[in-house]
């Protein structure tokens, strides 16, 4: 573990710089001094970017939005792990107290053919949006708000669906997987709806379409290493992947259209 | 089933899992038959078992299915590995794999390739000779052949390497196959994982014991 409250760190940062999608990037080394252990990892990047701007250099592009672990935008591959050395947190929730004075930190973008680098550490995760658009929805009549508990849902199903719905679409699962597979993400989305009564109407068509969309985006194939589950900031379980395998197999066997 | 199923990433996993479990079932037969050398009857039981396997028509057909299963498992693994390489065209500069997965779960391709190399050696030691004998309607004493093959230390070493590769391949593959088939359940998955570990260890210890005991003349 790092140092205590209010301590300051001197760090060496190796950051991936890449002009655009087509350019081939390379690492750039930066020295940082007086980084407070109370800072988040992104705040440390803010400090670095301020410094670069003062020096008349171009700031490092990186994604972020909520900075409180709910939007899934912050995507940094830190010292060989998505979202850095701590389990169950996003990069914005990672703090500099997780590092030691004198550390060298290597920061890379998510690396996946399906997530092209836009610039530096920012990648295009539009592939996830297209997978969702292919089937990750339920068709319902809109109108007045329904009464709560109109449709009864068993507690365990509700809990499991809720667990799957916690996925924030960050893509750490893809980044962590040695095969670049997106199965954890897609299975979370498939499960969330397959477990609930509202999702039954499109259940079979949904899994067929979403898996087809996933395969089309060029993600790799799952070999059950479990790296995704271990690195997922929201604790999405491998059980979801098994469920998706079941759902897809039974849909392929029985769906007629 | 639509033919499209096997083209999906899920279908390919299912096929890997099914062929893998089928090969596992073969291991059970193989190790049980071979374990009869430990009956210390000069290989009598073993030879009559081997003779049955070599001549029974049902076994002959199963053998063809077995080779088909093996070839599908290998070809599918190759296609998947190539596709997975394409899914990450730029490699990470730093990877901390140990933080999120076991080394053998990440090395199934290498372990499988080692196994294939071993298998070629193994078949050329025993299977080909047995086939020739059946073809020529000759008697074949597989037990004596085993004793002869395992009298060389380097052969024993090759077999040990093969068995260790098998053990790690199974340690990941056994439970992985169930996951691929979607057979995951809060109640049963912990059991499947335990059985997988014990199966891998016991089968591989038995297989390893054969060349070692013959080399050391423990089996007479
Ligand atoms: S499954 Fe986990 S790691 Fe993957 S996108 Fe969802 S929250 Fe991120
Ligand atoms: S910035 Fe929203 S999860 Fe990190």
């Amino acid at each position: 573990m790092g140092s205590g409250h209010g301590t300051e760190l001197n760090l060496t940062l190796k950051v991936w710089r890449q002009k655009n999608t087509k350019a081939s990037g390379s690492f750039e080394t930066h020295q940082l001094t007086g980084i407070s252990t109370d800072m988040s990892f992104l705040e440390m990047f803010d400090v670095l970017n301020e410094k670069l701007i003062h020096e008349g250099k171009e700031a490092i592009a990186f994604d972020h939005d909520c900075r409180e672990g709910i939007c899934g935008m912050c995507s940094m591959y830190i010292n060989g792990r998505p979202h850095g050395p701590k389990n169950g947190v996003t990069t914005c929730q990672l703090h500099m107290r997780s590092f030691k004075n004198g550390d060298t930190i290597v920061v890379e973008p998510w690396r996946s053919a399906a997530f092209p680098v836009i610039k530096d550490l920012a990648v295009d995760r539009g592939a996830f949006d297209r997978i969702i658009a292919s089937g990750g929805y339920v068709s319902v009549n809109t109108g007045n708000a329904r009464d709560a508990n109109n449709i009864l849902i068993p507690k365990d199903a509700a809990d499991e669906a809720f667990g799957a719905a916690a996925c924030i679409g960050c893509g750490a699962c893809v980044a962590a997987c040695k095969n670049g597979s997106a199965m954890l993400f897609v299975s979370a989305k498939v499960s969330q709806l397959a477990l609930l009564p509202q999702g039954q109407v499109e259940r079979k068509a949904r899994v067929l379409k979403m898996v087809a969309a996933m395969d089309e985006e060029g993600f790799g194939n799952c070999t059950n290493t479990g790296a995704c589950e271990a690195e997922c900031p929201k604790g999405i379980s491998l059980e979801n992947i098994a469920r998706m395998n079941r759902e897809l197999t039974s849909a392929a066997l029985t769906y007629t259209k | 089933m639509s033919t499209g199923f096997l083209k999906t990433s899920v279908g390919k996993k299912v096929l890997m899992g099914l062929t893998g479990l089928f090969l596992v079932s073969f291991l059970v037969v193989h190790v049980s038959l071979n374990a009869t050398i430990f009956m210390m009857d000069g290989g009598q039981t073993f030879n009559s078992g081997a003779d049955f396997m070599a001549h029974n028509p049902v076994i002959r057909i199963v053998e063809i299915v077995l080779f088909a299963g093996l070839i599908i498992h290998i070809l599918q693994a190759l296609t998947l590995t190539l596709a997975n390489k394409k899914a990450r065209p730029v490699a990470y500069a730093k990877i901390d794999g140990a933080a999120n997965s076991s080394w053998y779960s990440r090395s199934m391709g290498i372990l499988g390739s080692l196994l294939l190399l071993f298998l070629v050696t193994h078949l050329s030691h025993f299977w080909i000779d047995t086939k020739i004998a059946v073809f020529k309607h000759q008697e074949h004493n597989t037990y004596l052949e085993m004793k002869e093959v395992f009298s060389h230390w380097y052969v024993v070493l090759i077999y040990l390497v093969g068995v260790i590769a098998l053990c790690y391949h199974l340690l990941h593959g056994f439970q992985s196959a169930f996951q691929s088939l979607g057979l995951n359940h809060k109640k049963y998955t912990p059991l499947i994982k335990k059985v997988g570990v014990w199966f891998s260890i016991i089968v591989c210890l038995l297989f390893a014991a054969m060349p070692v005991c013959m080399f050391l003349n423990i089996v007479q």
Side-chain angles (χ1 to χ4, degrees):
Chain A
M1 272 313 293
S3 4
H5 201 60
T7 329
E8 295 193 336
L9 308 174
N10 298 332
L11 301 165
T12 305
L13 229 64
K14 285 194 171 161
V15 187
W16 184 259
R17 302 297 308 255
Q18 186 171 334
K19 267 209 145 29
N20 53 47
T21 308
K22 294 239 164 65
S24 62
S26 61
F27 282 98
E28 203 173 82
T29 308
H30 295 283
Q31 304 295 336
L32 281 176
T33 50
I35 295 295
S36 159
T37 48
D38 293 337
M39 278 183 197
S40 77
F41 201 82
L42 295 187
E43 283 164 342
M44 181 268 293
F45 258 80
D46 294 337
V47 171
L48 173 58
N49 272 345
E50 288 283 328
K51 185 175 153 234
L52 289 175
I53 291 166
H54 275 297
E55 291 167 358
K57 293 178 188 149
E58 201 173 340
I60 300 164
F62 65 92
D63 268 323
H64 61 106
D65 189 13
C66 70
R67 296 210 176 191
E68 52 186 4
I70 54 175
C71 76
M73 278 312 281
C74 52
S75 51
M76 290 187 187
Y77 195 88
I78 304 160
N79 276 348
R81 297 180 67 185
H83 298 306
K86 295 204 81 175
N87 289 335
V89 292
T90 50
T91 302
C92 58
Q93 298 292 291
L94 174 69
H95 287 81
M96 296 314 293
R97 54 180 171 268
S98 298
F99 297 89
K100 289 194 302 292
N101 193 29
D103 271 0
T104 297
I105 308 175
V106 182
V107 188
E108 302 175 68
W110 283 180
R111 298 210 186 272
S112 156
F115 292 160
V117 172
I118 300 169
K119 190 177 167 68
D120 300 335
L121 302 172
V123 298
D124 178 359
R125 279 164 285 183
F128 273 10
D129 299 334
R130 290 187 289 276
I131 294 171
I132 295 290
S134 75
Y137 51 79
V138 288
S139 305
V140 289
N141 287 326
T142 51
N144 291 337
R146 305 269 189 97
D147 279 348
N149 298 330
N150 238 353
I151 306 171
L152 294 179
I153 300 168
K155 172 86 166 80
D156 51 345
D159 285 350
E160 269 187 77
F162 193 80
C167 165
I168 53 176
C170 64
C173 42
V174 176
C177 176
K178 79 171 185 63
N179 310 313
S181 163
M183 281 224 166
L184 195 64
F185 165 78
V186 181
S187 69
K189 302 303 174 190
V190 165
S191 291
Q192 169 195 337
L193 299 173
L195 283 160
L196 296 176
Q198 292 89 337
Q200 297 314 304
V201 180
E202 289 135 329
R203 183 170 176 177
K204 287 180 185 174
R206 177 185 306 116
V207 67
L208 289 168
K209 283 193 222 160
M210 289 182 81
V211 169
M214 168 178 80
D215 292 347
E216 219 163 88
E217 295 291 345
F219 291 105
N221 297 276
C222 170
T223 57
N224 303 325
T225 67
C228 53
E229 179 188 58
E231 297 293 6
C232 172
K234 297 296 154 185
I236 304 295
S237 148
L238 284 184
E239 285 169 30
N240 291 298
I241 298 187
R243 183 180 296 105
M244 181 168 75
N245 296 341
R246 274 199 304 277
E247 292 282 325
L248 190 281
T249 308
S250 90
L253 286 170
T254 59
Y255 186 65
T256 47
K257 203 207 80 182
Chain B
M1 190 189 325
S2 66
T3 49
F5 173 62
L6 291 178
K7 292 207 185 90
T8 67
S9 48
V10 175
K12 288 174 191 159
K13 271 165 72 112
V14 167
L15 194 61
M16 280 307 273
L18 280 178
T19 47
L21 284 181
F22 177 55
L23 296 172
V24 160
S25 73
F26 159 73
L27 284 180
V28 177
V29 177
H30 190 8
V31 82
S32 315
L33 177 63
N34 283 36
T36 57
I37 64 163
F38 297 115
M39 292 177 81
M40 306 293 181
D41 57 358
Q44 257 185 20
T45 318
F46 173 75
N47 268 340
S48 60
D51 194 60
F52 171 78
M53 296 303 262
H55 292 94
N56 185 292
V58 179
I59 304 286
R60 298 272 54 72
I61 294 166
V62 173
E63 188 175 47
I64 295 168
V65 183
L66 181 69
F67 271 104
L70 183 69
I71 289 166
I72 293 171
H73 196 75
I74 294 169
L75 289 182
Q76 186 80 279
L78 269 178
T79 344
L80 290 174
T81 308
L82 290 178
N84 294 347
K85 286 254 140 43
K86 274 220 309 241
R88 176 158 297 142
V90 183
Y92 287 113
K94 188 170 178 180
I95 302 176
D96 186 0
N100 55 38
S101 48
S102 65
W103 70 266
Y104 50 88
S105 76
R106 283 178 273 121
S107 315
M108 291 300 272
I110 295 168
L111 291 168
S113 308
L114 272 177
L115 269 178
L116 182 60
L117 281 179
F118 165 73
L119 200 65
V120 172
T121 325
H122 181 48
L123 289 183
S124 69
H125 276 149
F126 296 106
W127 184 77
I128 293 177
D129 284 355
T130 324
K131 285 287 123 170
I132 292 172
V134 171
F135 192 67
K136 290 188 178 162
H137 300 287
Q138 285 169 347
E139 282 282 318
H140 186 74
N141 192 331
T142 314
Y143 180 80
L144 279 187
E145 193 181 16
M146 256 173 112
K147 291 232 74 167
E148 146 61 24
V149 169
F150 294 142
S151 62
H152 309 285
W153 65 267
Y154 53 88
V155 176
V156 175
L157 198 69
I158 291 173
Y159 273 70
L160 287 182
V161 171
V163 166
I164 290 169
L166 175 67
C167 186
Y168 281 107
H169 201 77
L170 284 174
L171 274 178
H172 177 66
F174 191 96
Q175 54 87 26
S176 173
F178 286 88
Q179 165 82 4
S180 288
L181 297 175
L183 300 174
N184 180 304
H185 193 279
K186 283 198 170 57
K187 252 188 186 160
Y188 304 109
T189 299
L191 180 71
I192 291 173
K193 287 192 173 167
K194 254 186 225 137
V195 170
V197 170
W198 282 110
F199 178 85
S200 316
I201 294 174
I202 293 171
V203 166
C204 292
L205 278 180
L206 276 170
F207 272 136
M210 293 162 197
V212 169
C213 290
M214 286 204 154
F215 180 73
L216 299 175
N217 270 324
I218 295 172
V219 172
Q220 301 284 349

